Amino acid sequence: MRKILIIAILIFICGYSSAQTMMQSQYGTSASGLSSDRFDRNGNPIDTTAVVDASTVPIGLSSWTIDERFGNKISIPVDTLQFGFQNSNDNGGPTGHYTHLGNLGSPRISHVFFERNETTQEFFTDPYSFAYDTPGKVIYTNTKSPFTNLSYFKLGSSRHAEEQFKAYFAVNVNKRLGFGFDIDYIYGRGQYLNQSTAQFNGNLFAYYHGDKYEMHFNFINNNMKVTENGGIADDRYITHPLDMAAGGRVYKSYEIQTNLEDIWNKNTGYHAFLSHRYNLGFYKDESSENDTIVKEVFVPVTSFIHTVKVDMNTRRYISQNDQQNREYFQNNYLGNDSTDLTKYMSVKNTVGISLREGFNKWAKAGLTAFVSFEHRRFSMTDSITGTPGQFMRDYKENSLSVGGQLIKSQGKTLHYDVLGEVAILGEDIGQFNIEGKGDLNFRLFNDTVRLDANAYIKNIKPAFYYRHFHSKHYWWDNDLSMITRTKIEGKLSIDRWRTQLQAGVENITNYTYLDNTSVGYESSDATTKTYKNDAAVRQHSGNIQVFSAKLRQDFKLGILHLDNEVVYQKSSNSTVLPLPDLVLYHNLYIRAGLAKKVLTVELGADVRYFTQYYAPDYSPAIGQFYLQNPETRYKLGGYPLVNGYLNIHLKRTRIFVMMYNLVQGTGERSYFFAPHYPLNPRSFKFGISWNFFD
């Protein structure tokens, strides 16, 4: 950990020094082309019409991400978060929507079905959404002064602590060109045996925003190592600790035996992304409402777009104890070899032509037509029956698709985005996607009301690893049907009332999932039954409907605040797709500004809760969540996870201290989110984040 901190500090110093030599002049409008919020040196919004003095130098920060298809900019808030900082590195999500294995950086899956992403071709990194970087997650920043953020989080004592260090740096060469980097290092030693995580993820990014030429580039490297323990050997160590005590002694978390040892899943990923476009258009004179100076502004009419995305991932499953493997797993296809390996590589090119929105009064929407070609290659460890040794088997797939987009993003009242794509040649032929979203804004009771809607219909070919997978313990080659998904959802937001109401329904045909097919064995006297682990891919040929409704309602009385989120959902087939009926989050706290409001303090406690259901089990041999064994399944949930915290914001610095799992309890409804994987016991946690603007 110390080496990583030293390296990050050296990178920061070098970047800071070079940035100072480049930042020789101030300049005007944000180069991003987005609306430019201005902040003082403490990261607080400032009134740009006020007199600017030494304490309110306009930093001119703006941030955005990009969509991976066209490279369009998506504006996001600058990282000057004052409130809720204590939940910013929670593996369960800021409102506790995720089932996970306890340790920071461990795999996770959302309790809320509408928040679950579709299975991708990378497959093995899908459960690591907490830390895994992709091109669409990279944050680009335009800044008049070099911007740096350093953050550090720690839970527990050093011997069993989980730690996270993050560094972000962005600088502009001039008003059109900027670059930066992002580092995220997680080291979770684990409160339980054989549970450690070690993840080092980083990216480099650059952009250029000219009148006629625009470019975004990023390169990402993800390195993720997770030790697999198969869960604790007996849940009663947590649920009924006194029953397991030897001589009245209660076991500490790191003394509890686990099912497996000497097993690791390692994922190494590389992503290279380049999106650029050339704009045809004209120049016109324009002046703002508060500025009489006429400026020459370029108006794009037509854009020629090219995007290329390269993804590579190598997954190694390492298991060195052959005797343990034969006792725990039903199958050992690769014999006593300790490693099985699979590799994935994809190169996707998209070219398009776009008629831009707003270049004259008749162009009320933008129209884009595009063609995409993707080449995919999968390599897996394989074997031949009766022949010693292994070899790598390659599978190659190609797909050609065409599509179009109609979008309206300008104006204040109505916005919409409709996109359609269909695969016409190759492995994915017959796959299609039609999706649309929009929002309507209008005045009601002296406030702005926002109505959002989104809908889609998709016909999707199951991911490659659902169709083919050869490994040490699992082996399948499946002929699967297309998955059809149809969804409609709407949301009503009233800011003055602090209210958001969201509801939707989705229908899924040929729902594809991982099933637990563990095999039971009777003891010699037929009094006990043990199981050897196995898994298989299943498709539910009928329809499954999921209904979901979410209400967010916040209350405020002076300095007292109560934030609430209630999610209700229902699956029409709880055997194949089990979901908790209710997922709740409540946060009661006081918020006060001290020292002339330079110091902001939050003191409170929040609670996460979901009703009991057959929560998904976790397979260490594949690093994925799957259904519980139907013969041994049991319900989890009904446990309130309470965290008490103090959150402080002082100028450019954010600090929190927290007592995690404050009301740690025992009994049937104890602190398990996944079968046999307890959450961390009661622990002290703290975090600090510091923004630098020069």
Side-chain angles (χ1 to χ4, degrees), residues 146-428:
F147 173 67
T148 305
N149 174 263
L150 300 176
S151 300
Y152 176 73
F153 307 89
K154 183 177 181 179
L155 178 144
S157 62
S158 297
R159 184 179 176 186
H160 305 284
E162 57 182 40
E163 297 177 271
Q164 182 176 18
F165 172 74
K166 302 176 72 174
Y168 180 89
F169 175 76
V171 67
N172 278 66
V173 178
N174 52 46
K175 67 179 181 179
R176 300 184 184 276
L177 176 63
F179 64 90
F181 66 83
D182 189 5
I183 294 173
D184 186 359
Y185 176 66
I186 292 174
Y187 185 30
R189 296 167 181 83
Q191 300 285 316
Y192 301 89
L193 294 174
N194 309 307
Q195 191 196 33
S196 64
T197 59
Q199 302 173 7
F200 187 85
N201 307 312
N203 69 73
L204 300 171
F205 64 85
Y207 66 87
Y208 178 81
H209 293 158
D211 290 342
K212 295 186 177 181
Y213 181 74
E214 301 176 47
M215 177 275 293
H216 288 92
F217 168 80
N218 61 65
F219 177 79
I220 299 169
N221 177 216
N222 294 294
N223 291 278
M224 319 186 80
K225 178 183 177 181
V226 175
T227 306
E228 305 287 4
N229 66 11
I232 62 175
D234 194 323
D235 289 359
R236 291 178 297 169
Y237 283 110
I238 302 298
T239 60
H240 300 87
L242 294 179
D243 294 347
M244 305 299 293
R249 180 177 68 89
V250 176
Y251 288 90
K252 297 184 183 297
S253 62
Y254 49 83
E255 297 174 327
I256 298 174
Q257 294 301 307
T258 58
N259 288 308
L260 299 172
E261 61 183 9
D262 299 327
I263 293 180
W264 298 269
N265 270 304
K266 293 184 178 181
N267 281 280
T268 303
Y270 298 93
H271 306 275
F273 178 86
L274 173 66
S275 175
H276 55 156
R277 64 177 66 198
Y278 185 79
N279 302 314
L280 301 178
F282 58 91
Y283 289 90
K284 71 174 184 179
D285 293 335
E286 185 178 273
S287 61
S288 62
E289 183 177 345
N290 298 321
D291 192 349
T292 58
I293 299 176
V294 176
K295 299 179 180 179
E296 190 177 54
V297 178
F298 181 75
V299 180
V301 176
T302 303
S303 296
F304 298 93
I305 303 167
H306 174 231
T307 297
V308 58
K309 181 171 178 268
V310 179
D311 297 316
M312 293 185 290
N313 186 73
T314 299
R315 180 255 184 181
R316 296 177 184 272
Y317 173 75
I318 303 171
S319 180
Q320 298 177 337
N321 190 328
D322 186 58
Q323 180 181 351
Q324 173 185 260
N325 292 336
R326 296 188 182 280
E327 291 175 353
Y328 187 84
F329 294 101
Q330 172 66 17
N331 300 300
N332 287 271
Y333 295 107
L334 303 180
N336 61 3
D337 192 282
S338 63
T339 303
D340 73 62
L341 177 69
T342 181
K343 296 181 179 181
Y344 162 73
M345 188 272 290
S346 168
V347 179
K348 184 175 183 179
N349 281 275
T350 300
V351 294
I353 181 170
S354 175
L355 303 179
R356 301 289 290 269
E357 171 189 3
F359 66 87
N360 67 41
K361 64 179 181 180
W362 305 109
K364 299 298 183 182
L367 180 63
T368 302
F370 64 92
V371 178
S372 293
F373 178 78
E374 182 178 14
H375 170 73
R376 303 187 292 259
R377 186 180 69 206
F378 304 85
S379 302
M380 291 185 294
T381 304
D382 214 332
S383 63
I384 300 175
T385 304
T387 302
Q390 303 171 32
F391 68 96
M392 297 297 292
R393 181 176 179 181
D394 288 345
Y395 297 78
K396 296 180 181 179
E397 298 183 348
N398 298 294
S399 179
L400 179 68
S401 61
V402 298
Q405 180 190 44
L406 181 67
I407 184 170
K408 182 181 184 300
S409 58
Q410 299 179 9
K412 297 182 178 180
T413 303
L414 176 66
H415 312 97
Y416 54 82
D417 181 354
V418 180
L419 184 141
E421 183 177 15
V422 59
I424 57 175
L425 289 174
E427 186 69 28
D428 299 337

Side-chain angles (χ1 to χ4, degrees), residues 113-114 434-438 452-458 485-491 502-508 545-549:
F113 180 75
F114 280 7
I434 302 172
E435 58 185 83
K437 59 183 179 181
D452 293 88
N454 69 82
Y456 59 65
I457 178 170
K458 302 179 180 181
R485 304 184 64 165
T486 306
K487 176 184 175 182
I488 185 168
E489 184 178 34
K491 181 171 73 172
Q502 187 172 346
V505 63
E506 180 166 1
N507 183 83
I508 310 169
Q545 291 83 35
V546 178
F547 171 78
S548 179

Side-chain angles (χ1 to χ4, degrees), residues 526-659:
T527 58
T528 59
K529 193 173 186 179
T530 59
Y531 292 84
K532 288 190 176 183
N533 182 269
D534 200 8
V537 176
R538 303 284 190 231
Q539 263 195 335
H540 180 71
S541 59
N543 295 322
I544 298 177
Q545 291 83 35
V546 178
F547 171 78
S548 179
K550 178 168 70 174
L551 172 65
R552 298 192 64 174
Q553 181 64 65
D554 300 341
F555 300 98
K556 179 180 181 294
L557 180 61
I559 63 172
L560 183 65
H561 295 253
L562 177 61
D563 299 344
N564 306 276
E565 181 182 87
V566 178
V567 178
Y568 172 78
Q569 57 186 359
K570 200 69 176 179
S571 167
S572 65
N573 190 328
S574 58
T575 301
V576 172
L577 181 54
L579 298 170
D581 290 342
L582 286 174
V583 180
L584 309 177
Y585 174 77
H586 304 285
N587 185 15
L588 178 64
Y589 58 98
I590 58 172
R591 177 190 296 163
L594 306 176
K596 297 183 179 181
K597 297 186 179 181
V598 173
L599 173 67
T600 303
V601 177
E602 286 181 341
L603 176 64
D606 61 11
V607 58
R608 298 154 169 80
Y609 179 90
F610 60 90
T611 53
Q612 288 193 312
Y613 78 115
Y614 293 112
D617 203 347
Y618 175 75
S619 169
I622 198 173
Q624 297 285 321
F625 289 93
Y626 63 169
L627 296 183
Q628 293 189 51
N629 183 343
E631 297 186 26
T632 60
R633 68 177 186 168
Y634 64 102
K635 290 185 176 181
L636 288 88
Y639 175 78
L641 177 62
V642 180
N643 301 324
Y645 65 89
L646 172 65
N647 191 20
I648 299 172
H649 186 276
L650 176 62
K651 294 186 176 181
R652 294 179 288 179
T653 307
R654 294 164 287 178
I655 304 171
F656 77 85
V657 292
M658 172 191 290
M659 186 57 71

